Amino acid sequence: MKAGSSVPDWQRLRLYAACRGLPQGRSLADWPVLQQYVKRISKTRFWLRKLKGPKVVTVQDGRGCRYALADSDYNVIRIPISLRYETAVLHELAHLVCPIEPAHGRAFARTFLMLVEQYMGSTVGRALRQGYALYQVSYRQPPTDPA
């Protein structure tokens, strides 16, 4: 959620709980590996066309930060060394695609799931879907009114 926001992040804790048992994926602790991983994703057709992600994503060193951060105004992610794993990076990239609030709402959860399935595989995606079901994380597109 953006600083000073008054929109409640109603499913943040449920989403984090759903991710607890999820494989973290490979380590991206080495700075060049992290930068290359993000650059590779941001150049894919899936990222650019399907998700409409930003063409350039800047990765900043997150040393000194306790949490990973995404700034959708500047297309910047900041990941501390302790969180440099695929799931945390994909989580922050999902924030760049879904800057709408609440920060961990339905659109974010759906985008994060799509990123996990695309870049970590269907087995990890299935585990995330199971976590979503267990913790009642909303991620499906709401039905449209046929009127």
Side-chain angles (χ1 to χ4, degrees), residues 59-76:
V59 182
Q60 293 181 345
D61 193 354
R63 284 183 283 191
C65 295
R66 292 178 56 194
Y67 305 101
L69 304 166
D71 184 338
S72 58
D73 291 336
Y74 298 99
N75 298 327
V76 170

Side-chain angles (χ1 to χ4, degrees), residues 8-9 16 75 89 112-113 116 134:
D9 197 358
Y16 285 0
N75 298 327
V89 173
F112 177 53
L113 175 62
V116 165
L134 180 64

Side-chain angles (χ1 to χ4, degrees), residues 5-56:
S5 173
S6 61
V7 176
D9 197 358
W10 53 273
Q11 74 173 7
R12 177 179 172 261
L13 295 177
R14 286 187 282 173
L15 188 132
Y16 285 0
C19 294
R20 250 187 243 127
L22 204 60
Q24 294 181 347
R26 65 187 168 112
S27 171
L28 303 168
D30 291 335
W31 182 248
V33 173
L34 173 61
Q35 288 182 308
Q36 188 59 37
Y37 181 78
V38 171
K39 184 177 182 179
R40 183 177 56 83
I41 287 173
S42 67
K43 300 295 181 213
T44 63
R45 180 177 297 199
F46 180 81
W47 173 260
L48 294 169
R49 294 197 180 148
K50 176 99 174 152
L51 297 180
K52 299 185 182 355
K55 291 180 181 174
V56 176

Side-chain angles (χ1 to χ4, degrees), residues 74-141:
Y74 298 99
N75 298 327
V76 170
I77 61 171
R78 191 173 301 136
I79 314 279
I81 292 172
S82 63
L83 294 176
R84 289 185 187 165
Y85 291 92
E86 285 180 281
T87 50
V89 173
L90 295 175
H91 179 109
E92 297 311 317
L93 289 173
H95 280 300
L96 296 184
V97 174
C98 289
I100 58 173
E101 296 182 13
H104 297 92
R106 184 187 309 260
F108 171 84
R110 184 173 50 255
T111 300
F112 177 53
L113 175 62
M114 291 168 66
L115 283 165
V116 165
E117 289 175 334
Q118 181 72 25
Y119 298 108
M120 295 183 72
S122 60
T123 301
V124 181
R126 203 168 18 263
L128 182 56
R129 282 179 192 273
Q130 290 170 348
Y132 280 3
L134 180 64
Y135 291 98
Q136 300 176 334
V137 175
S138 298
Y139 68 96
R140 290 191 172 94
Q141 192 84 310

